[in-house]
Every structure is written in C-alpha cells, then in structure tokens.
Amino acid sequence: MIGFKHNLECYSDKVSAFVGDTIDFKVNSSQNFSISFERIETNETLLKINDLTKKVQHQKRNAFLGVNWETSYTLTIPSNWKSGIYAAVVKSQIKTAYCFFIIRGQNNKIAVLASTHTWQAYNYWGGNCFYKNLQACE
C-alpha cells in the first residue's frame, strides 16, 4: 500500500444508474467532509449530507486497476430526480472534489454522450494512464 497524494479524492461504483438504484461513493479524506448532489444543468443542490467521517483510504501499486475503497456514502436515486448529468460535490475544510454520474431515463430515443472512459484513459490517477505518452495524461 502507498499513501494518498491528495487530501480529498472520490469515485463511485457506477457511472450511471436509474431512479431507485443505488450508487456507492468512495471517499479518501484526511478530514471530515460533506457531499452535496447537484444536477449539472441547473446547478441546483438537491441533497446535502453533512458531517461524514474522514477515512484515509490507501492506494495500492497499480491503483489504476482499482483500489476497492470502503463506501463512504450510499445514495439511493430519488424518484423525483430527472435524467441527466449530476455531480457529487465532496467538500472538506481545505478542498473540493467532484464525482460525476448520469441518471438514465426510460426514454430510448434520447442518449447522453459523456466521454467518461476517455476521461479515465487520459487520467494519470493511480500511477499510470492508458497512453504511454505521459504528456497526454497530464
């Protein structure tokens, strides 16, 4: 195991979900923190959870293959949330981190294009990126 490089980091177990589904948010924080959930289109805070307990979660070597952190908060998608792109805004006293996710609708005629896998491929988090040219990952 290696220590973490940032005071606050987060990821979720799912990139997209339907209303009623759950999403587990994994947070690495050296301080207590809050999570607020916002719909990107409106910038409106829909739910805020305060005073979540800090948890230092370690990266292993080759963390880009997965870290299996403990769940810090489980969100059940409320029935009144519309389809679209959302952000979990995680805040401690000294830093803010964002974890984006999509709520999928029942309409098969509309698609949301989010380049999530492209973001991850160019991401150097965990000590590696998909592309060997490191400048592409910075």
Side-chain angles (χ1 to χ4, degrees):
M1 299 279 190
I2 59 177
F4 62 94
K5 295 181 180 181
H6 306 286
N7 292 324
L8 186 65
E9 301 173 300
C10 65
Y11 73 93
S12 63
D13 70 332
K14 295 179 187 132
V15 176
S16 68
F18 289 103
V19 165
D21 288 349
T22 60
I23 300 178
D24 290 337
F25 292 89
K26 315 324 184 126
V27 178
N28 171 47
S29 180
S30 59
Q31 298 180 328
N32 288 351
F33 60 94
S34 66
I35 301 178
S36 60
F37 296 95
E38 299 177 1
R39 188 164 190 252
I40 297 299
E41 180 182 339
T42 61
N43 252 2
E44 172 187 7
T45 299
L46 302 170
L47 175 65
K48 184 171 184 179
I49 310 301
N50 291 311
D51 299 322
L52 292 166
T53 304
K54 68 182 177 182
K55 174 72 177 165
V56 175
Q57 309 217 48
H58 296 281
Q59 290 181 8
K60 39 185 185 173
R61 297 209 186 281
N62 300 325
F64 60 92
L65 297 173
V67 290
N68 298 318
W69 285 349
E70 293 178 29
T71 297
S72 302
Y73 182 77
T74 299
L75 171 70
T76 301
I77 309 287
S79 60
N80 63 337
W81 288 15
K82 298 177 182 179
S83 62
I85 300 176
Y86 288 73
V89 182
V90 182
K91 289 185 179 183
S92 70
Q93 291 179 354
I94 59 174
K95 185 154 177 151
T96 301
Y98 298 87
C99 184
F100 296 95
F101 61 99
I102 297 167
I103 296 181
R104 299 166 60 184
Q106 300 299 325
N107 186 339
N108 295 351
K109 297 177 184 177
I110 298 173
V112 172
L113 176 62
S115 301
T116 308
H117 288 26
T118 301
W119 300 333
Q120 291 173 349
Y122 281 98
N123 179 342
Y124 197 67
W125 189 91
N128 204 349
C129 88
F130 183 74
Y131 299 97
K132 299 302 177 200
N133 176 0
L134 296 180
Q135 289 180 333
C137 298
E138 293 176 358

